[in-house]
Coordinates of all heavy atoms in Angstrom, one line a residue:
L1 N 32.3 59.2 51.0 CA 33.1 59.0 52.2 C 32.7 60.1 53.2 O 32.8 61.2 53.0 CB 34.6 59.1 51.9 CG 35.6 59.1 53.0 CD1 35.6 57.7 53.7 CD2 37.0 59.3 52.5
A11 N 35.6 76.3 75.8 CA 35.0 75.2 76.7 C 34.0 74.4 75.9 O 33.6 73.3 76.4 CB 34.3 75.9 77.9
A14 N 32.0 70.8 69.3 CA 30.9 70.3 68.5 C 31.4 69.2 67.5 O 32.5 69.4 67.0 CB 30.2 71.4 67.7
V46 N 32.1 75.3 40.0 CA 33.0 76.3 39.4 C 34.5 75.8 39.4 O 35.4 76.6 39.2 CB 32.9 77.6 40.1 CG1 31.5 78.2 39.9 CG2 33.3 77.5 41.6
A55 N 45.3 68.1 45.8 CA 46.0 66.9 46.0 C 46.0 66.0 44.7 O 47.0 65.5 44.3 CB 45.4 66.1 47.1
I65 N 54.3 65.5 33.0 CA 55.7 66.0 32.9 C 56.6 64.8 32.5 O 57.5 64.9 31.7 CB 56.2 66.6 34.2 CG1 55.5 67.9 34.4 CG2 57.7 66.8 34.2 CD1 55.7 68.6 35.7
K69 N 55.9 61.4 25.5 CA 55.0 61.7 24.4 C 54.4 63.1 24.5 O 54.0 63.7 23.5 CB 53.9 60.7 24.2 CG 54.3 59.3 23.9 CD 53.2 58.3 23.8 CE 52.6 58.2 25.1 NZ 52.0 57.0 25.6
A72 N 53.7 69.5 25.4 CA 53.2 70.7 26.1 C 52.0 70.3 26.9 O 51.4 69.3 26.7 CB 52.8 71.8 25.1
C83 N 38.1 78.0 36.5 CA 38.3 77.8 37.9 C 37.8 79.0 38.7 O 38.2 80.2 38.4 CB 39.8 77.6 38.2 SG 40.2 77.4 39.9
G84 N 37.1 78.8 39.7 CA 36.5 79.8 40.5 C 37.4 80.3 41.7 O 36.9 81.0 42.6
G85 N 38.6 79.8 41.8 CA 39.5 80.1 42.9 C 39.4 79.2 44.0 O 39.1 78.0 43.9
T89 N 34.1 76.9 51.0 CA 33.5 76.1 52.0 C 34.5 75.5 53.0 O 34.1 75.1 54.1 CB 32.6 75.0 51.4 OG1 33.5 74.1 50.7 CG2 31.5 75.5 50.5
D116 N 53.8 76.2 42.3 CA 55.3 76.0 42.1 C 55.5 74.9 41.1 O 56.5 75.0 40.3 CB 56.0 75.8 43.4 CG 56.0 77.0 44.3 OD1 55.8 78.1 43.8 OD2 56.3 76.8 45.5
I118 N 53.6 73.9 38.7 CA 53.3 74.3 37.3 C 54.5 75.3 36.9 O 55.0 75.1 35.7 CB 52.0 75.1 37.3 CG1 50.8 74.1 37.6 CG2 51.8 75.8 35.9 CD1 49.5 74.8 37.9
K123 N 58.1 71.6 30.7 CA 57.3 71.6 29.5 C 56.5 72.9 29.5 O 56.0 73.3 30.5 CB 56.5 70.4 29.4 CG 57.3 69.1 29.3 CD 56.5 67.9 29.1 CE 57.4 66.6 29.0 NZ 56.7 65.4 28.9

Side-chain angles (χ1 to χ4, degrees):
L1 175 65
V46 297
I65 291 172
K69 294 179 295 214
C83 177
T89 62
D116 289 345
I118 296 167
K123 298 182 180 181

